[in-house]
Amino acid sequence: MELLKLKYVKFFKCHVSYLVSICVFLFVMVLIFRTLLLPSPFPFVRFKNNEFEWNHVRMKFLEVPQIVWGLNNQKIAFARACLTARMLNRSLLMPSLSASLFYKEIDRLEPISFDKVFNFERFNSLCDGFVRVSRYSDIGNRSNVIEVQKGSGRRWTLERDLDQLKEFSKKDYDAYETIRVVGKNPFLWHDHWPVSDYAKVFECLVLVDEISKEANEVVSKIREFGSEVKNGSSSYRTPYLAIHMRIEKDWMIHCKNRERRSNLTNICSSKEEITTRVANIPALKPPTTLYLAVANELLEDDSILNGWKEGMHPVDKKRLGFNEIYKNYSYLIQAAIDYEVCLKADVFVGNSYSTFSSLLVLERTQKIIKTGISHACGNNVRWPSYAYNIEGESGGPQLWMTNLSDSSLQAISYGSNSVSCRIV
């Protein structure tokens, strides 16, 4: 009897082992079949209740035209393309930026890959779950694409544009792996997103190491120009103030035309107005190093370092010895270095109608908010920013923080004289 039981147990074990082997074999075959014949799954996201939820779905993409114009116009265009892709539950295919600056000669725009300027992996890591950028090598079926024309013209209203985006989200388009948008630069697309959404994208834009290193070297050189101040038993280096001086020939032509069209008088600022207002910043005590962020080759005279208040020590690329180094880089990289130098300044002063200045103030506002401060009015905050084209306290420039509750990026994209020291 015991022998019979033993035989039965052995038979049962063998039978179970055989079944397990068959199941494992079938499972492995299914995986191999799926890998060879189907596009690989990607843990992408699905939009629900104003938040993205991660789901295992086949990755789909949005492709946009080459992004053009100035550095910060390109950053805005890129962010708008990312937010459009997010709305369509797609990943943005890594776009081409423009290394050169030609406003009208589109055929002469020198393309440069996004990952030559910004850290691709870092962007996706920081924006994980919000937006995503993909490489063209991620596409499974390059023929599974639909080409669509973005609406344009005065009759193409904000509402019609939103309706078109909603149409792109429907099943007819969802069947395509890639939606390719043709037409105008994304900077000129209608804006459907609040400042806070753009701010999230901008926070994920980190310069590649080579450009970041160059910017850090400029900052170190600026600080070397500062003097050491004794304070009892301790000492510290004098702070540096960065001024985005928009007094170049091309800007003065643009701002004067805009003042004439809009019947405003506070868009342009002369060098004399800037030097006077900077000297009247209440919290600024000499000695102070001033970094003048300006396109030297577009200046009408070379007196930019003269006329500053005693105790203020101005420096520019030439005086720092970086002029020739800057020339080794394209326009876009030069602007990216200058942007980073201004971002790291203890104090920043810019023009509220400049996109460069406006995006800097947005990032500096975010830094202030992270310290727990909601406004700069009357506060001795770190990283204050000012608008020199608008008169503020004691004849100085107006304290400036970005209004993060704005429903669109209009004021940043095109400038405004409505500048406040509050974020709401």
Side-chain angles (χ1 to χ4, degrees):
M1 187 68 176
E2 290 296 324
L3 184 60
L4 184 62
K5 285 183 180 179
L6 185 60
K7 287 182 178 180
Y8 177 80
V9 170
K10 286 182 177 180
F11 172 81
F12 179 77
K13 284 183 177 180
C14 290
H15 186 66
V16 170
S17 297
Y18 176 77
L19 289 176
V20 170
S21 298
I22 290 295
C23 290
V24 170
F25 174 78
L26 290 173
F27 179 73
V28 170
M29 292 304 294
V30 168
L31 285 179
I32 292 173
F33 175 82
R34 193 171 186 271
T35 301
L36 292 174
L37 299 182
L38 295 177
S40 60
F42 181 81
F44 203 47
V45 289
R46 194 167 293 280
F47 192 63
K48 183 179 180 182
N49 298 327
N50 296 323
E51 292 295 336
F52 268 131
E53 291 185 345
W54 288 94
N55 290 301
H56 285 273
V57 297
R58 293 178 189 174
M59 185 165 27
K60 292 185 175 67
F61 308 97
L62 177 72
E63 183 179 356
V64 300
Q66 181 182 351
I67 291 173
V68 298
W69 299 346
L71 168 70
N72 291 287
N73 296 108
Q74 292 189 51
K75 287 167 71 173
I76 290 171
F78 170 78
R80 191 160 293 155
C82 281
L83 293 171
T84 301
R86 168 183 161 86
M87 188 176 185
L88 303 179
N89 194 35
R90 289 173 177 266
S91 175
L92 178 67
L93 285 171
M94 188 165 61
S96 286
L97 305 179
S98 300
S100 52
L101 181 62
F102 291 93
Y103 288 94
K104 295 180 180 179
E105 299 169 87
I106 302 298
D107 58 319
R108 295 183 63 190
L109 286 168
E110 180 189 342
I112 182 172
S113 178
F114 171 86
D115 61 355
K116 298 297 182 185
V117 183
F118 300 105
N119 189 311
F120 176 84
E121 289 77 15
R122 191 86 174 111
F123 178 86
N124 281 336
S125 174
L126 291 172
C127 267
D128 186 28
F130 187 64
V131 295
R132 185 174 183 83
V133 175
S134 295
R135 299 185 186 276
Y136 278 82
S137 58
D138 294 327
I139 300 174
N141 184 353
R142 290 179 179 266
S143 63
N144 188 16
V145 56
I146 183 171
E147 194 169 277
V148 296
Q149 178 77 42
K150 203 81 166 76
S152 61
R154 291 188 176 184
R155 293 186 179 181
W156 189 257
T157 62
L158 186 73
E159 292 73 21
R160 289 184 67 183
D161 190 76
L162 186 59
D163 287 342
Q164 185 189 51
L165 290 179
K166 289 177 180 177
E167 189 68 26
F168 291 165
S169 302
K170 293 182 179 178
K171 288 183 179 179
D172 290 347
Y173 292 93
D174 200 46
Y176 294 95
E177 187 173 357
T178 303
I179 294 178
R180 178 184 297 141
V181 179
V182 296
K184 56 188 179 181
N185 171 24
F187 181 85
L188 297 173
W189 294 0
H190 280 295
D191 184 3
H192 304 288
W193 299 276
V195 170
S196 55
D197 278 0
Y198 283 97
K200 288 179 184 178
V201 179
F202 295 142
E203 275 194 302
C204 304
L205 290 171
V206 178
L207 293 174
V208 295
D209 290 344
E210 180 189 353
I211 303 174
S212 182
K213 182 182 175 182
E214 292 285 10
N216 289 337
E217 287 184 11
V218 177
V219 171
S220 297
K221 195 72 173 177
I222 293 170
R223 294 203 183 277
E224 284 178 18
F225 268 81
S227 57
E228 191 173 19
V229 178
K230 295 288 185 181
N231 184 16
S233 59
S234 62
S235 63
Y236 63 92
R237 283 278 176 190
T238 55
Y240 86 85
L241 180 150
I243 307 173
H244 182 218
M245 292 192 71
R246 295 276 20 215
I247 58 172
E248 305 95 336
K249 288 181 286 189
D250 64 327
W251 169 259
M252 297 308 289
I253 293 169
H254 164 74
C255 72
K256 285 175 181 176
N257 286 337
R258 188 164 179 188
E259 281 186 339
R260 187 166 52 251
R261 289 195 308 268
S262 57
N263 199 28
L264 293 171
T265 58
N266 58 359
I267 300 176
C268 302
S269 289
S270 65
K271 177 200 160 189
E272 291 69 30
E273 183 177 70
I274 297 170
T275 56
T276 300
R277 287 188 175 166
V278 168
N280 290 330
I281 295 176
L284 196 62
K285 307 297 180 188
T288 302
T289 305
L290 309 179
Y291 174 68
L292 311 182
V294 64
N296 295 76
E297 65 277 8
L298 294 176
L299 293 174
E300 292 189 323
D301 63 68
D302 57 0
S303 66
I304 190 170
L305 297 178
N306 302 327
W308 296 91
K309 181 180 177 181
E310 186 178 352
M312 294 184 174
H313 308 292
V315 295
D316 60 2
K317 300 177 190 69
K318 273 186 184 177
R319 190 168 182 184
L320 290 171
F322 283 101
N323 211 36
E324 292 305 313
I325 296 174
Y326 266 68
K327 288 179 180 177
N328 292 332
Y329 292 105
S330 66
Y331 153 77
L332 188 70
I333 307 303
Q334 291 180 26
I337 294 171
D338 251 2
Y339 185 94
E340 196 72 7
V341 173
C342 292
L343 183 63
K344 293 183 177 183
D346 301 291
V347 181
F348 173 71
V349 187
N351 187 303
S352 68
Y353 282 89
S354 161
T355 310
F356 185 100
S357 294
S358 296
L359 278 191
L360 269 166
V361 174
L362 170 58
E363 286 205 54
R364 292 173 68 88
T365 297
Q366 288 177 287
K367 288 171 69 174
I368 293 171
I369 291 171
K370 288 176 181 177
T371 67
I373 295 174
S374 60
H375 66 84
C377 310
N379 289 339
N380 187 22
V381 298
R382 292 185 67 188
W383 311 298
S385 301
Y386 298 84
Y388 58 65
N389 59 305
I390 301 173
E391 186 174 357
E393 180 186 347
S394 305
Q398 173 64 45
L399 261 171
W400 185 8
M401 291 184 78
T402 300
N403 183 357
L404 293 175
S405 65
D406 269 353
S407 59
S408 79
L409 209 67
Q410 176 74 20
I412 291 175
S413 299
Y414 297 102
S416 171
N417 60 4
S418 181
V419 171
S420 171
C421 54
R422 298 182 180 276
I423 61 170
V424 292

